[in-house]
Every structure is written in structure tokens, then in C-alpha cells.
Amino acid sequence: MRTTGTVHRRRIRVGAIAVAAVTALTAGLLGVASAQAKSEPHAPPDHAVTAMEQVAAMQPGWNVGNTLDAFGGTGGETAWGNPLITEELLQTIKAEGYNSIRLPVAWDYEHTGPGPDYTIAPERMERVAQVVDWAIANDLQVLVNIHDQMFTKELPDDRENVLAKFNAMWTQIAERFKDYPSELSFESINEPQFPTDEANQDAHTATLNVAFHEVVRATGGKNADRLLVLPTWVTNSEQPHLDALKATIDELDDDMIAATVHFYGFYPFSVNVAGVTTYDEATQQDLENTFQRVNDTFVDNDIPVIVGEWGVLGYDYTRPGAPQSQQYGELLKLFEGIMYQAREQHLTLMLWDAGSYLNRHTLEWRDPHLYSYMDSGLTTRSGTASFDSIYLEKAGTIADESLTLNRNGLEFRGLWQGDTELAEGEDYTVEGDTLTLTAAALTRLSGDREHGVNSTIEARFSGGVPWRINVITYEAPQIADLTGTTEPVPWSQWEACNASCFAIPTEFNGDELSTMEAKYADGTNAGPHTWTAFKEFWWTYRPDYDAGTISLTPDFLNEVRDDEPVTLTFHFWGGGTIDYTITKTGTTVTGTNA
């Protein structure tokens, strides 16, 4: 059993894993492979590593999401919009600095036959093997799982059959890969959940984890000491679930085990609901507390941790305009903070990417600037500021404007516009952490003062990514009256309807929408999320700056009571608000300026 003192560590023989781990440890970056480690030559395959070292060498990792885990329709691996996995894709990921991939796999559905054998289709097994082979050949560790947990949800009510299927599937997977090198590891199940018996959710999770461990180890070969990864209930990071997994790992008494949780940020910020629109103290504290709990429970007890998925929930490249629900600079602060806290707490991160970050068709980052925060964050912090924009009202007189610098342990080195350095004293001043741009500099930077971003400058620090600051000219937005309908539509038209079903004509005039409140006349909250007046971005309302609309979605309108006026208050980043009243009668919706 594991203790907090000296632990006997079973050692395994690997190649690149050992070199990356030793290099990271030498650099004092346990859990984070340094940039130098990425380019180190392979060591002979007689090097040995512990589970802690192997997981450290996985940093950073990348999920091949929504691909081999896709199901339904006739598209197979491409059913959810991504192209087939290619060796070129994995070569790109390696070249971009990643040292591991998580390969989510749907083995069930059309790929597994009926009981009692539950035979996995040979073509499915060989396709997974092909991707694993490509990854290992390109110096990437691979974490393979059972990603489809639908059938395991029935464990409380159909224990015998669920375990028979689960064990049969893992037996076949383990047998197929038993001779593979240690660069391949297994994860028991993705986000295990048991909606019919939530009172015993940790016990059911332990049942699956223990069964997985017994089945894989029993197949022998290199599976006898292959790294196995065990999740908490639904990969949750609250202390009771961490403690439950820790107890399971202690009982298994196996030193080649890692724990895994997922992290998508403080929920209100992650989806932009309840008025949490900035990387505020609660959002930051949630991150710090989560990673600290995970470290204290596992890492400090010699159990490595993989954050098997991370990102934010409100991020989808298919959205018109910006993909994120969060204000862009505030999102950058969260990503910068996640990278830093992972280094501090010795956690390995695996980005969940279902196509929103890396364009699988062009093999290019959709947002290179966002990627730069992830890449730089492996080794250093980046400085930020209280906001990434300075809004100048078009009709107003330009005055000095101040921001607060968040140095994050770095030295502030000045402001630049492109290759031109701004003059301290003339263009800006710094007193303590207060950065003030002068009226003269802002007048020059705002140019002809057209609506929108007039110029972008950057605050440079002694390390990390420069902090971009947009100088924006705006006028108060204008919203028009509208009468429309909210007709039910087929699922195939859902996205289109949400973008246009009740699309309020809006002149944004250079400003952007921050959040929306919805209240009935008596002051109670309207629409979904009845616990807050501030509704969820994109799910209930959607700005389209190019089209000049704010759309109210069927998900919002269907939760509005008939014939009861609702006051919507739109909050804008320029600081203004607009009240707008809607009334729904049957399928007819009328909107007027309040």
C-alpha cells in the first residue's frame, strides 16, 4: 500500500519516456517536459522510469477528440465533423511540442457484438492499432480508453451484464496490445457516471476501476506493469471523489497507476452564465483550489495525475464570429493560469480538442495567439493586465486611460505598437502596477476613430507572451423593435434557427455584448437558469456582429411564460446597458425598446 514516506517503486523499461522524464526532472520541472526535452535524442531502451516520471514525460498532451469516439450516422470516424486521423496529423502534433496524445475510443455501438462474447470488430481494433503505431513511431506516448460510458451507466441496475461486457472489451483490448511498448497506457473509462444511483457513485466507479485493473494485469506480457490510469466519478475533482479514488489506488497496491480528473474551469465563467464574465477572484480561486486538492491527494503521495481533458465548455469553432463564450482577454488569463498552476502542482495536461483549436483539415492552429499561451506556459508565466481593451466613446473627449498590470512575477519592459516602442512619459506612465496611456497617445492610436478596433499595442514583459491591448472606438449600441415567431424546428435546422429565429436587429457601433439579464415584472428571473437573472451566453442569446443581430434562442424562449413581459438588460463591454422588453404569446414574440 502507498504511504507518504519511502515507497518501493516498480520500474519498467522504456525508451523515450525515460529520457524526457529525466530531462524534465533535471530541469526542476517535474510534470512539465521542457522545450529542451522535446529535442533530446532517444536513450537506449534499458532505461527505467516510475509512474511519476512517465506521466511527467507526457506533458503536454493533446486529445484526438470527436474522432474515434464518434458514433451514429454513417460517417464512422468522421461522423462528428473531423477528418480521418492521419500520421501527418500526429507528426504535426509532435512538431508543435506535444509529447503525448489521449486517444478516446468508442468501442461499443456498432463496433461490439452481442453477449456473451461481446466481440470487438477486428477492423475497429486494427484501426486503433494503426493510430497507436503511428503515434509511437513519432515519439508520442498514447493513452487509450473506453470513451463510450453509456452502457456502464446501467451498472447499478444490471451489474452482471455490464461487468461481463466491460471485462470482455478490456480483455480483448489488453490482449491485442499486450506486447506494445510502455509508451502505450490505458485509461479504464471516460467520465464514469451512474444516474440511477448517485448515492453510491464512488463505489460504482471503484467497481469499474478495480475490474479494469484485474483484467489488464491478468493478460500478462507488458501489461503486467503498463501504466494504468483511473478516473474519479465523472472525473470530478471535489475532495470526496478524490478521496474515494485514493482509497481504491491504495487498495490495489500497484505503483504503475495514475489518477485522472478533468478541468473545464469555474462553471459560470466557463459558459458565461450568472454574470461571471471576467477572470475574477472566484474563477481564479476555483482553479487554484482544484489543482491544489489534486496535488495534495495524489501527487504528494507519489501518485501522478493526468488532467485528461481541459479547456472551457463555451468554446466551439463552428460559431460565427468568435468561438468563445468568454471575453477574449479573460480567456487568455484563464489559460495562462491553468498552465502555471499545472507546473506548480506537477500535473500533466491533455487539451481537449474536438477540432476547435487545431484545424484538422489544414493542420494549422485556428488561433495561433491562444496556442502561444499554451506553449509558452510550459516553462514561464506571461504578464497580463486588468483588461485587454480601452474603449473610447466616439463623441467624447479623449482622456488618459489606466489599466492595472498583472506582472505575474515578471518585469514590465514597456509598450510597443508593432516594431515601434512607445515613449514612457510621453505616451504612457507606470506608477506601481498602474499603467496609464496618455490622451495624446490614445488620440494618435485611435486614428480616424472608426467604430471598432483602431489599433493594437502590446505590453511586453521579461518573459512569456506580450499582452495585447486594443484601442476601440464605439458609440452606444442601438436595438430595434421586432415581431417574430418561435416555431419548433427539426434538429437538423436547430443551429440555423438559433441564429435567426428571433434575431433582434442591432447596431453594435464598435461595442460588444458582455451578458444578458432576463426578469419578469415582479423581479423574478425569466427563462432557463432560474437561479440567476444572467443567462448563459450562446445557449440562450447569441450576438452576431457581422449580421448585426442579437438572437434569442428557442432554448430561452421556450422557458418564457406566455403573456408575461420580460425585461432583457443587455450589458456591453463599453460600459453601457440597454433594456428591451419581449412578450411571448403562443409562437409570436414581440420585442420593444423599454
Side-chain angles (χ1 to χ4, degrees):
M1 184 173 295
R2 295 177 183 272
T3 66
T4 56
T6 302
V7 179
H8 170 71
R9 297 175 179 174
R10 181 185 306 148
R11 305 183 73 83
I12 61 174
R13 297 184 181 276
V14 296
I17 293 174
V19 176
V22 171
T23 306
L25 289 169
T26 303
L29 295 172
L30 179 61
V32 179
S34 68
Q36 180 182 359
K38 299 172 190 174
S39 61
E40 288 288 336
H42 287 184
D46 59 350
H47 280 251
V49 300
T50 64
M52 290 287 286
E53 292 165 342
Q54 180 171 350
V55 171
M58 289 180 169
Q59 174 77 336
W62 182 79
N63 275 269
V64 196
N66 283 16
T67 312
L68 281 171
D69 50 325
F71 59 88
T74 59
E77 190 175 327
T78 63
W80 292 353
N82 282 312
L84 294 171
I85 299 170
T86 63
E87 186 171 15
E88 185 183 7
L89 168 66
L90 302 184
Q91 290 169 340
T92 298
I93 287 301
K94 181 62 183 180
E96 291 297 317
Y98 287 86
N99 290 312
S100 64
I101 63 168
R102 180 171 179 255
L103 189 62
V105 180
W107 299 95
D108 198 12
Y109 307 108
E110 60 262 37
H111 306 296
T112 297
D117 296 332
Y118 300 106
T119 301
I120 296 173
E123 60 271 19
R124 184 60 164 183
M125 189 72 77
E126 295 315 304
R127 174 56 175 158
V128 173
Q130 181 183 45
V131 176
V132 172
D133 290 343
W134 286 338
I136 293 175
N138 286 282
D139 198 22
L140 288 165
Q141 289 198 59
V142 190
L143 177 60
V144 169
N145 71 358
I146 290 180
H147 205 74
D148 40 354
Q149 77 286 80
M150 297 298 291
F151 77 94
T152 61
K153 290 182 178 181
E154 306 302 320
L155 181 66
D157 304 311
D158 193 14
R159 182 183 180 89
E160 182 177 351
N161 287 324
V162 168
L163 282 178
K165 185 173 186 177
F166 183 76
N167 290 344
M169 294 169 75
W170 266 119
T171 297
Q172 294 171 79
I173 298 166
E175 286 287 350
R176 174 62 181 83
F177 294 103
K178 66 190 296 183
D179 296 323
Y180 268 62
S182 298
E183 280 80 4
L184 172 65
S185 52
F186 294 142
E187 175 189 4
S188 65
I189 186 74
N190 176 65
E191 299 183 349
Q193 49 198 286
F194 314 97
T196 64
D197 188 17
E198 293 188 357
N200 296 297
Q201 54 207 11
D202 290 317
H204 296 309
T205 302
T207 294
L208 293 179
N209 281 334
V210 171
F212 159 75
H213 178 268
E214 291 177 351
V215 165
V216 173
R217 289 287 186 248
T219 58
K222 294 185 178 180
N223 290 337
D225 53 12
R226 188 178 305 284
L227 179 69
L228 302 182
V229 181
L230 307 183
T232 57
W233 168 75
V234 82
T235 56
N236 184 280
S237 56
E238 293 301 319
Q239 194 62 54
H241 308 302
L242 301 178
D243 290 341
L245 178 59
K246 173 65 163 53
T248 298
I249 293 174
D250 285 345
E251 291 168 6
L252 291 174
D253 192 21
D254 183 335
D255 293 316
M256 287 308 297
I257 288 180
T260 186
V261 297
H262 294 173
F263 184 77
Y264 284 99
F266 185 47
Y267 178 77
F269 178 80
S270 189
V271 300
N272 190 348
V273 72
V276 182
T277 58
T278 62
Y279 183 62
D280 60 6
E281 183 177 354
T283 303
Q284 183 173 344
Q285 202 65 53
D286 176 77
L287 164 61
E288 294 175 0
N289 290 348
T290 297
F291 281 23
Q292 185 71 61
R293 285 194 306 271
V294 173
N295 172 280
D296 292 350
T297 305
F298 296 114
V299 178
D300 282 354
N301 290 288
D302 205 37
I303 302 169
V305 174
I306 297 171
V307 182
E309 296 179 13
W310 74 274
V312 288
L313 297 174
Y315 197 96
D316 183 353
Y317 79 96
T318 63
R319 298 176 179 180
Q324 75 276 354
S325 296
Q326 306 77 21
Q327 197 276 342
Y328 186 67
E330 303 304 299
L331 177 68
L332 294 179
K333 292 178 192 176
L334 174 67
F335 274 48
E336 196 279 336
I338 288 172
M339 299 304 298
Y340 170 66
Q341 290 299 324
R343 285 193 292 119
E344 286 290 290
Q345 304 301 339
H346 313 306
L347 311 180
T348 287
L349 298 172
M350 290 188 165
L351 178 70
W352 177 257
D353 190 355
S356 285
Y357 298 99
L358 184 75
N359 185 324
R360 305 273 186 88
H361 298 277
T362 66
L363 301 183
E364 296 174 324
W365 295 108
R366 297 184 189 276
D367 185 345
H369 189 58
L370 179 59
Y371 164 72
S372 69
Y373 274 82
M374 294 186 274
D375 184 46
S376 175
L378 291 168
T379 55
T380 187
R381 296 215 68 175
S382 292
T384 67
S386 52
F387 203 52
D388 73 345
S389 300
I390 294 175
Y391 279 86
L392 303 174
E393 192 169 7
K394 187 164 188 173
T397 300
I398 294 178
D400 294 354
E401 297 284 347
S402 296
L403 298 170
T404 301
L405 294 173
N406 303 316
R407 300 173 191 264
N408 292 332
L410 303 170
E411 296 179 8
F412 174 70
R413 293 288 174 81
L415 296 180
W416 271 258
Q417 183 183 17
D419 295 330
T420 302
E421 184 176 3
L422 275 64
E424 185 172 2
E426 180 181 345
D427 295 325
Y428 70 92
T429 61
V430 179
E431 294 186 11
D433 289 331
T434 301
L435 169 67
T436 301
L437 279 94
T438 65
L442 291 172
T443 299
R444 184 178 74 252
L445 292 168
S446 59
D448 56 11
R449 307 198 69 187
E450 290 187 359
H451 290 155
V453 177
N454 301 137
S455 62
T456 300
I457 59 176
E458 58 182 34
R460 296 183 183 177
F461 297 84
S462 55
V465 182
W467 180 251
R468 292 179 178 175
I469 302 170
N470 298 311
V471 177
I472 298 172
T473 294
Y474 79 102
E475 292 182 276
Q478 302 294 319
I479 298 181
D481 296 347
L482 178 69
T483 297
T485 61
T486 174
E487 296 282 357
V489 294
W491 174 255
S492 61
Q493 300 176 27
W494 184 76
E495 283 290 336
C497 180
N498 274 5
S500 62
C501 212
F502 193 76
I504 304 168
T506 305
E507 295 179 17
F508 289 98
N509 294 332
D511 211 341
E512 292 192 352
L513 186 61
S514 168
T515 187
M516 180 189 82
E517 290 181 85
K519 292 184 178 181
Y520 292 109
D522 62 4
T524 59
N525 302 327
H529 313 99
T530 55
W531 50 277
T532 177
F534 291 89
K535 304 296 107 173
E536 182 177 331
F537 187 95
W538 201 257
W539 186 37
T540 61
Y541 65 97
R542 302 180 175 188
D544 187 328
Y545 301 107
D546 292 334
T549 59
I550 299 174
S551 293
L552 303 180
T553 72
D555 291 296
F556 174 75
L557 294 170
N558 291 342
E559 296 294 323
V560 170
R561 298 194 294 262
D562 272 13
D563 301 316
E564 293 191 42
V566 174
T567 297
L568 307 178
T569 302
F570 296 106
H571 296 252
F572 293 87
W573 285 110
T577 61
I578 296 177
D579 287 339
Y580 191 81
T581 300
I582 64 163
T583 304
K584 185 183 76 170
T585 302
T587 60
T588 300
V589 181
T590 301
T592 58
N593 279 285

